[in-house]
Amino acid sequence: MIGLDTNILVRYIAQDDAKQSPKATHLIESLTTETPGYISVVSVIELVWVMTAAYASSKDDICAVLETLLRTKEIIVADAETIWKALRMFKAGKANFADCLIERSGNAAGCECTMTFDRDAAKDCGMTLVV
């Protein structure tokens, strides 16, 4: 298994760097089920942030990228089931992906609720507002 940093994923998806993008493409396309790539939860969050902040990617584009990563047999995504649940919540509502993942991660860990001061997170993804 080979760990994949966020910058590898970004260069592969964006294809925006003449030197790094071909190297990222070669690396990603050389992965196999015997030697898969591994993506951490932190890299998933960073990827969504970069796609949103730096590339102004649409929600549909972000969802498509995450779904592709999660379905690719040559890639192992950490906590994939929790990320799938967060992705479904993100697709269905107004909450940002990070809030969805925070709430779903707490749920997966057995938390009764996830407390927040963020009114939007409480309203859009079921966290409990501290008042």
Side-chain angles (χ1 to χ4, degrees), residues 10-67:
V10 170
R11 292 288 83 78
Y12 179 70
I13 293 163
Q15 291 295 312
D16 62 350
D17 185 286
K19 287 187 178 183
Q20 293 181 349
S21 292
K23 292 176 183 179
T25 298
H26 176 73
L27 175 59
I28 298 285
E29 293 180 359
S30 72
L31 298 171
T32 65
T33 54
E34 293 79 29
T35 309
Y38 174 82
I39 301 173
S40 71
V41 174
V42 173
S43 287
V44 171
I45 291 292
E46 282 186 339
L47 176 61
V48 171
W49 184 84
V50 169
M51 289 180 69
T52 302
Y55 295 92
S57 297
S58 70
K59 184 177 190 173
D60 288 341
D61 289 342
I62 292 167
C63 290
V65 165
L66 292 179
E67 287 172 352

Side-chain angles (χ1 to χ4, degrees), residues 51-103:
M51 289 180 69
T52 302
Y55 295 92
S57 297
S58 70
K59 184 177 190 173
D60 288 341
D61 289 342
I62 292 167
C63 290
V65 165
L66 292 179
E67 287 172 352
T68 299
L69 292 174
L70 287 160
R71 288 189 174 120
T72 300
K73 292 181 175 121
E74 297 82 13
I75 293 177
I76 296 169
V77 179
D79 297 322
E81 185 58 36
T82 301
I83 291 175
W84 270 115
K85 289 176 182 177
L87 179 57
R88 286 191 288 274
M89 182 184 283
F90 175 63
K91 282 178 83 168
K94 295 180 182 179
N96 70 54
F97 182 75
D99 286 342
C100 293
L101 186 54
I102 291 166
E103 193 283 329

